[in-house]
Amino acid sequence: MHDTARRGLDGARHLSRGSKRDTEPEAEIDGVRIHRYPLRAATGGPAGYLREYGSALWHTARLVRKVGPVDVVHACNPPDLLFLPALWLKRRGARFVFDQHDLVPELYLSRFDRGEDLLYRAVCALERRTYRTADVVLATNESYRDVAVRRGGKRPEDVFVVRSAPAVDRFQPVPPEPELKRGRPHLLCYLGVMGPQDGVDYALRSLAKLRDELGRTDWHAVFVGSGDAFDAMVELSRRLGLSEQVRFTGRIPDADLVRYLSTADVCLSPDPRNPLNDVSTMNKVLEYMAMGRPIVSFDLKEARVSAGDAAVYAPANDEAQFAGLIAELLDDPEKRARMGKIGQERISGPLSWRNSQASLLAAYASAGDPDRAGKRPRR
């Protein structure tokens, strides 16, 4: 249930053992050979990520030597370290498709609030090396594409926008279940990762203002998902006195997720404006839209590109305005219905996977074009 800007899990975890049932080191599914390795998620700030990514890089390099000759290596980020095994494969004739899920320098600034220190300069250097090694770059939106061209020195024709798109067959509304509202008239829903940059704390403070400043107690809220800020957010909810009105589910099966989203009156996208979020596409926004749910979001550049009129937008990081917009939507069921329909039309139209699929196939055609092999990006 990874969130920002992204077609999948981050580069290290995408190759690791994803669940308890996915424990076999090697498997074959529909003719695809899969090699997995164990990985412990990072804890403890930057040092924890160095340990996680170092372990992931070692295991990836070990497995790369087992898979034999390849024509194309496709690696995503973060971290911007997988250019190293990709470079080893390139020297043996492979082409490298860099699937950029995050802008790691912006992620570092947004997550750790340490400024442009030595580690920040290091992640910038790794990004530059990744761009330099890549033959083709997949960007999740036009903002990321601009970075690849402007900061990464890539030729525009070598950068393809492949937007995230929800699996529509996974997000099919079912009849609402009023009991999920816990005796309240309305249900609010958050879906996604709970990390320091994801804004769950902004959502909780907004809900406290909705109750205390606007006098609204006619709602129950559910937060679906997990992450390294999960425990801190449960504690913040307790300190704000929201424990009776807010439930944290953790990760749940798809069927339960669909039940909550089908019942929700308003969905929340509280990502605050920071260097990363303003230019990132949020998967939860697209999933809310696929389910026909109206959205309250902060005013972020790429949030508007994705949601358009399927969302209402509070000034960046203004929790009182965010609360006010929730109240307005709760009082206007017709507007909620219109917004939900707009979202579904956008997901089945301009934001559909069909369009992204065409761009992805074009990227692979470019990567496999022998006339383009060996061309180097501008420095």
Side-chain angles (χ1 to χ4, degrees), residues 88-244:
W88 189 84
L89 290 167
K90 281 194 67 172
R91 289 170 178 165
R92 286 152 181 78
R95 300 270 283 164
F96 176 31
V97 175
F98 172 41
D99 189 354
Q100 188 163 28
H101 290 186
D102 281 312
L103 302 177
V104 176
E106 284 80 358
L107 175 61
Y108 180 82
L109 292 175
S110 301
R111 187 177 181 89
F112 297 114
D113 193 26
R114 294 161 61 100
E116 297 184 6
D117 60 4
L118 179 62
L119 197 50
Y120 170 79
R121 293 193 291 274
V123 298
C124 289
L126 290 171
E127 182 189 68
R128 288 194 296 271
R129 288 300 305 272
T130 300
Y131 280 134
R132 185 178 301 173
T133 306
D135 298 292
V136 169
V137 174
L138 306 183
T140 58
N141 57 40
E142 291 292 342
S143 295
Y144 277 34
R145 182 178 188 274
D146 178 67
V147 170
V149 173
R150 173 177 47 82
R151 191 164 80 197
K154 304 303 295 181
R155 302 184 309 169
E157 59 266 34
D158 291 332
V159 185
F160 296 79
V161 174
V162 181
R163 294 184 61 91
S164 295
V168 177
D169 57 346
R170 179 188 174 203
F171 291 94
Q172 288 292 325
V174 298
E177 301 180 27
E179 58 270 22
L180 296 179
K181 300 183 180 185
R182 299 288 182 93
R184 311 277 179 165
H186 302 294
L187 179 67
L188 311 176
C189 188
Y190 171 91
L191 162 66
V193 174
M194 298 183 192
Q197 76 275 17
D198 293 307
V200 175
D201 53 336
Y202 283 80
L204 291 171
R205 290 190 293 266
S206 296
L207 294 181
K209 292 180 184 295
L210 180 64
R211 179 197 60 193
D212 298 336
E213 298 180 12
L214 300 180
R216 299 295 295 260
T217 60
D218 56 343
W219 52 270
H220 176 69
V222 62
F223 286 74
V224 178
S226 189
D228 52 6
F230 180 87
D231 291 339
M233 295 302 99
V234 173
E235 173 59 20
L236 176 59
S237 176
R238 186 194 65 77
R239 293 202 312 270
L240 293 171
L242 293 171
S243 298
E244 294 299 317

Side-chain angles (χ1 to χ4, degrees), residues 344-375:
Q344 288 181 316
E345 289 173 347
R346 290 177 65 79
I347 291 297
S348 63
L351 301 183
S352 73
W353 176 244
R354 292 189 303 275
N355 295 331
S356 295
Q357 186 180 50
S359 184
L360 180 60
L361 292 174
Y364 262 84
S366 176
D369 184 352
D371 293 334
R372 302 172 75 92
K375 291 184 179 180

Side-chain angles (χ1 to χ4, degrees), residues 267-290:
C267 287
L268 309 179
S269 184
D271 308 86
R273 179 180 291 169
N274 59 38
L276 178 70
N277 289 347
D278 196 41
V279 294
S280 294
T281 300
M282 304 301 170
N283 279 350
K284 61 177 168 284
V285 168
L286 304 173
E287 291 161 355
Y288 296 156
M289 293 163 63

Side-chain angles (χ1 to χ4, degrees), residues 330-341:
L330 293 181
D331 290 335
D332 195 340
E334 292 183 359
K335 183 174 183 179
R336 296 201 307 266
R338 289 196 304 271
M339 292 170 63
K341 184 177 180 181

Side-chain angles (χ1 to χ4, degrees), residues 262-327:
S262 297
T263 306
D265 297 286
V266 175
C267 287
L268 309 179
S269 184
D271 308 86
R273 179 180 291 169
N274 59 38
L276 178 70
N277 289 347
D278 196 41
V279 294
S280 294
T281 300
M282 304 301 170
N283 279 350
K284 61 177 168 284
V285 168
L286 304 173
E287 291 161 355
Y288 296 156
M289 293 163 63
M291 292 293 294
R293 301 298 95 186
I295 303 160
V296 177
S297 171
F298 286 123
D299 195 358
L300 307 179
K301 176 182 177 181
E302 286 294 337
R304 283 189 176 272
V305 171
S306 295
D309 291 335
V312 290
Y313 304 92
N317 307 353
D318 188 327
E319 296 162 359
Q321 291 290 328
F322 197 93
L325 289 175
I326 295 173

